[in-house]
Each structure stands twice: as structure tokens, then as C-alpha cells.
Amino acid sequence: TFFQKLLVETTAEVSVKEEFDTSVYFFKAEDNPEDIDISDITTNVLDTMDRVFVLHCEDFYGKYVLKKAHEAGLMGETFVWIVTESITSSPQNLKIYYNETDKNGYYPKYYDGLLGISLYVDTESTNYRTFKEEALVASQG
């Protein structure tokens, strides 16, 4: 299609002009998500040209990682954040509450522009059923 051709041409042009490095960062999971410390990550990222981030973590950590990234200046017009299905499947867990009696909560302005991905699996397809059957057999021994 036209768009596939355009994507190939655009990607080819970019790869000729610039080299892209990837960085992978991990944070230590804490019992209390508010205790997550990503300051070493945010410091390293601010010293690089990294501008696209994929956040893959449990949904209850997501809101705190995004908050700390915002506080470090890593969310805004010059950054792209892609959140995976573990977060997009429970968007209500990203809400911020004013206090313990607040029943509605709100989504912070710095969430604007987040891109969420969600996988689609056709559980009725032959490929899925075959994969599932083979996985069950393999798991039993």
C-alpha cells in the first residue's frame, strides 16, 4: 500500500542520516510503588538524546513511574511515552486522588500524549487454538 511504501522510504532515509541507539532501564520493584526510586535513570536519560520511552510494568507502578518522569522533566512535547497493555488494560489505576475520600480521581495533564498499546488475540483462530494445545501439552511434561 501507499503507507507501507512511505514507511519504508521514510525509514530508509532516517537510517542513512542518523544512527539510533537503544537504552534499556530497569527499576527495582518496591512493595509500596510510591517508594520507587528512578532518579539514577532520569539523570542518565537527561544526559542522552533518548526521547522515546516504552514503559512496561505492572499497572500499579505505572502511575508512579510517570509521575517521577514528569517531575524530572521527561514528559512533554519533546518526549514520546508508549505504555504497554499491563497499563492500558487498567487505565483507572492511573488516576490520581486528592485524598482517601475522593471517589472520582483525575488523570494528570502530563498524561496527555501517552500512547497505549493493546494486543489483540483472536481466540477463535486455528493458529491460537493450535498454539494453546501445544503449550498445554508441553507444560504437562
Side-chain angles (χ1 to χ4, degrees), residues 48-113:
T48 69
M49 294 299 291
D50 295 344
R51 294 296 178 259
V52 178
F53 305 97
V54 176
L55 178 60
H56 178 68
C57 62
E58 295 292 330
D59 59 347
F60 49 87
Y61 291 115
K63 112 169 124 178
Y64 298 102
V65 171
L66 294 169
K67 179 182 179 192
K68 292 179 186 265
H70 168 70
E71 291 169 354
L74 294 173
M75 297 188 75
E77 292 180 8
T78 60
F79 298 96
V80 175
W81 282 82
I82 301 168
V83 295
T84 61
E85 187 168 14
S86 58
I87 295 172
T88 60
S89 64
S90 306
Q92 69 278 6
N93 291 339
L94 289 176
K95 283 187 174 182
I96 304 292
Y97 295 91
Y98 290 108
N99 55 47
E100 291 179 14
T101 60
D102 181 5
K103 302 270 190 254
N104 296 323
Y106 69 96
Y107 295 104
K109 183 78 174 142
Y110 58 84
Y111 287 175
D112 287 357

Side-chain angles (χ1 to χ4, degrees), residues 41-52:
I41 296 171
T42 57
T43 300
N44 286 337
V45 169
L46 287 170
D47 292 338
T48 69
M49 294 299 291
D50 295 344
R51 294 296 178 259
V52 178

Side-chain angles (χ1 to χ4, degrees), residues 3 14-15 20 24-25 34 43 53 56 58 60 67 84 90-92 94 103 114 128-129 137 139 141:
F3 290 108
V14 170
S15 63
F20 293 97
V24 178
Y25 302 99
E34 293 182 41
T43 300
F53 305 97
H56 178 68
E58 295 292 330
F60 49 87
K67 179 182 179 192
T84 61
S90 306
Q92 69 278 6
L94 289 176
K103 302 270 190 254
L114 286 180
Y128 174 80
R129 282 189 252 140
V137 168
S139 70

